[in-house]
Amino acid sequence: MERSQAVIREGSAFYAVPVSQCSMMIERNTVKAQKKILICGAGIAGPVCAYWLHQYGYEVVIAEKALILRDGGQNVDIKGAGQPVIRMMGLADRIEARNTLEQGQRYVDAAGKVVAVFPKGAFATLTNDFEILRGDFAQILFEATANTCDYRFGTFVTALEEKADGMVVTFNDGGVEDFELVICAEGVGSSTRKMMLPEQTSFRYLGAYMSFFKISKKPEDDGWAYSVNGVDGTFITLRPGNDKETTVLMTFLKKKQDIACENRDGAKTVLRAALKGRGIIADRISAELDTVRDFYFGPMSQVRVSRWSKGRFVLLGDAAYCPTAFTGEGTALALVGAYVLAGEIKRNAQYAEAFSTYEVLVRPYVHASQNRINPVLVRLLHARSRIAISLTHMIQKILASNSIQKHFRPGTVKREKKITEDFVFPNYT
């Protein structure tokens, strides 16, 4: 496969083709390192940052380790300050067109009986204004940047060397290029981050493991998210996916981060144990584990990096400040961080000042998100005993009651006001 690839979507499938066969991609050209920036990672944060950098006159190369654009991942919620970013990019209508159409959230018991209902827009609901599958969102961002950025799939960094006027980057195919800056947006397990900021990086384990994947859609999957508390601290949510699949997010308590599963089979064995005896939804998931795709399993941990940059290298998105997928806030953090980082690079002649201001502006927003969840809260959300589950159901019913919803449910004006107050955006025009 060639270094530069374009990705074409046909139905739900993605195909990589050589640049010469697709006008969407631009040819790599040789320019001086100044005004040329490398972004590692073609997920969410990387392409958003690339979009804004191009607006400001930079040439952007996006190196992605995967061979093609990844269409996997769970539902992503574009919350709070993330919404103004997609509107400024002119993508709101395209995202809405691929909305999962989730109507709200229903809590059910082990037998499948509805306990409490939280429609879209309700107080304490899981469902937000923008609900989209991660793969669909990534495709939209790719389409918005493919004409203006040099995407290189199957490509990753193997060495970085900083010079007085730029970064010398060595890629996995042996190629060496000069860039003014390197932005790392590779995600939680970033290998490039390990090269540059290993001592500054730590992970905050929240006392649970998580897994997400897709299962086949059934007639009873009616457009609502269904959540169920299982004994011994298992929590399961089914959410609308596409025409053929339903997404699963499953978490379960584990006091110590000591599960060593080196392969999918081992992870699925652990999941089956956590699903056994947890009710009809759990039984359905367990029966399909052998055939699931897009499978993720790992500890519920936050990424905490004491310093986001080193020289001409800077972190962005989950690579710097993942709050865990359980919060549903990682996408908003990625969008806000990408917008601010690109803007500060544009506004400041000195990269060190740009990186410093980016961190000063975004870190408080990150801290607020990460601090909203902690091991104590995780334990409370994962009731262990049947008595605790009954108490949880009682609380869910109270929160869903008309009196509570009437008092706490935000109206349109109040919701918009909260979004604008969530993060004060600098003006980079």
Side-chain angles (χ1 to χ4, degrees):
M1 181 170 287
E2 296 178 24
R3 273 274 300 277
S4 285
Q5 301 280 342
V7 176
I8 302 299
R9 183 173 185 168
E10 182 177 323
S12 61
F14 293 91
Y15 303 93
V17 299
V19 172
S20 59
Q21 296 179 20
C22 181
S23 62
M24 290 182 66
M25 299 298 293
I26 60 174
E27 295 286 353
R28 186 188 318 171
N29 47 43
T30 56
V31 299
K32 57 185 179 180
Q34 189 177 11
K35 302 287 285 185
K36 183 180 177 184
I37 294 177
L38 172 67
I39 296 178
C40 304
I44 303 300
V48 172
C49 191
Y51 171 90
W52 290 109
L53 287 171
H54 171 73
Q55 300 297 311
Y56 304 144
Y58 287 86
E59 179 189 357
V60 182
V61 173
I62 300 181
E64 168 56 49
K65 188 174 184 178
L67 296 178
I68 61 173
L69 192 68
R70 291 177 291 182
D71 66 341
Q74 289 288 290
N75 309 59
V76 296
D77 309 320
I78 304 176
K79 296 180 177 180
Q83 295 181 16
V85 177
I86 63 172
R87 290 193 176 102
M88 286 187 286
M89 296 175 69
L91 300 178
D93 289 344
R94 288 155 74 178
I95 291 171
E96 187 61 34
R98 298 191 190 181
N99 197 302
T100 63
L101 302 179
E102 186 171 288
Q103 299 175 42
Q105 182 182 17
R106 289 173 173 165
Y107 285 95
V108 299
D109 61 18
K113 181 180 178 180
V114 176
V115 173
V117 179
F118 296 84
K120 180 178 179 179
F123 170 68
T125 186
L126 175 74
T127 309
N128 290 277
D129 292 336
F130 292 97
E131 299 283 348
I132 186 171
L133 293 176
R134 181 203 170 279
D136 287 344
F137 191 22
Q139 177 67 23
I140 289 172
L141 294 174
F142 175 80
E143 291 168 355
T145 53
N147 284 330
T148 57
C149 300
D150 182 358
Y151 275 86
R152 304 179 187 177
F153 291 93
T155 303
F156 56 90
V157 174
T158 58
L160 292 168
E161 181 182 1
E162 184 163 353
K163 300 289 187 179
D165 60 349
M167 292 283 280
V168 181
V169 180
T170 303
F171 294 103
N172 55 301
D173 66 353
V176 179
E177 290 183 55
D178 294 336
F179 295 89
E180 181 181 356
L181 304 171
V182 174
I183 298 172
C184 177
E186 292 177 332
V188 176
S190 170
S191 58
T192 311
R193 182 189 59 211
K194 293 177 183 177
M195 296 179 194
M196 299 296 292
L197 294 166
E199 297 179 358
Q200 291 77 20
T201 303
S202 62
F203 299 87
R204 184 194 187 199
Y205 179 59
L206 298 178
Y209 275 74
M210 66 188 305
S211 183
F212 46 82
F213 45 89
K214 296 181 178 73
I215 59 176
S216 57
K217 185 176 181 179
K218 291 191 173 184
E220 59 264 33
D221 297 339
D222 57 3
W224 285 77
Y226 286 86
S227 299
V228 57
N229 290 90
V231 293
D232 292 329
T234 296
F235 186 75
I236 305 165
T237 296
L238 301 184
R239 303 187 71 178
N242 53 39
D243 292 340
K244 296 181 179 180
E245 296 174 310
T246 292
T247 65
V248 178
L249 172 62
M250 175 182 168
T251 55
F252 62 92
L253 292 178
K254 192 73 171 66
K255 188 174 182 180
K256 295 182 179 180
Q257 186 179 337
D258 57 2
I259 298 178
C261 293
E262 299 180 356
N263 53 59
R264 286 192 175 191
D265 290 339
K268 289 178 180 179
T269 297
V270 172
L271 287 184
R272 283 194 177 88
L275 288 165
K276 188 175 182 180
R278 270 68 169 187
I280 60 172
I281 288 181
D283 291 343
R284 171 188 170 183
I285 296 170
S286 186
E288 294 200 47
L289 272 180
D290 285 337
T291 58
V292 299
R293 71 181 193 90
D294 187 31
F295 181 82
Y296 171 84
F297 176 85
M300 186 191 296
S301 299
Q302 295 178 337
V303 176
R304 300 211 167 188
V305 184
S306 60
R307 187 177 76 246
W308 295 350
S309 63
K310 181 179 180 181
R312 294 176 177 271
F313 175 88
V314 63
L315 297 174
L316 174 65
D318 281 353
Y321 37 76
C322 175
T324 80
F326 194 75
T327 67
E329 297 182 359
T331 301
L333 295 184
L335 291 169
V336 171
Y339 174 81
V340 174
L341 176 57
E344 291 303 323
I345 291 173
K346 176 240 184 182
R347 185 158 66 179
N348 292 280
Q350 301 298 321
Y351 66 86
E353 185 174 351
F355 292 170
S356 176
T357 306
Y358 151 67
E359 186 164 346
V360 167
L361 291 173
V362 178
R363 190 177 279 276
Y365 184 55
V366 168
H367 279 175
S369 175
Q370 291 190 330
N371 291 339
R372 274 192 281 272
I373 188 167
N374 56 61
V376 174
L377 178 59
V378 170
R379 287 197 297 272
L380 290 174
L381 294 173
H382 292 72
R384 298 187 67 98
S385 68
R386 297 189 185 280
I387 293 176
I389 291 174
S390 296
L391 179 60
T392 298
H393 288 168
M394 185 183 303
I395 294 172
Q396 290 164 351
K397 290 177 182 178
I398 292 172
L399 291 175
S401 66
N402 290 333
S403 58
I404 294 295
Q405 288 297 321
K406 184 178 180 179
H407 185 72
F408 289 102
R409 178 172 180 164
T412 302
V413 174
K414 186 177 180 181
R415 188 163 62 248
E416 290 296 329
K417 182 180 179 182
K418 184 181 184 304
I419 289 173
T420 58
E421 293 176 348
D422 197 21
F423 183 85
V424 179
F425 287 90
N427 185 358
Y428 296 117
T429 57

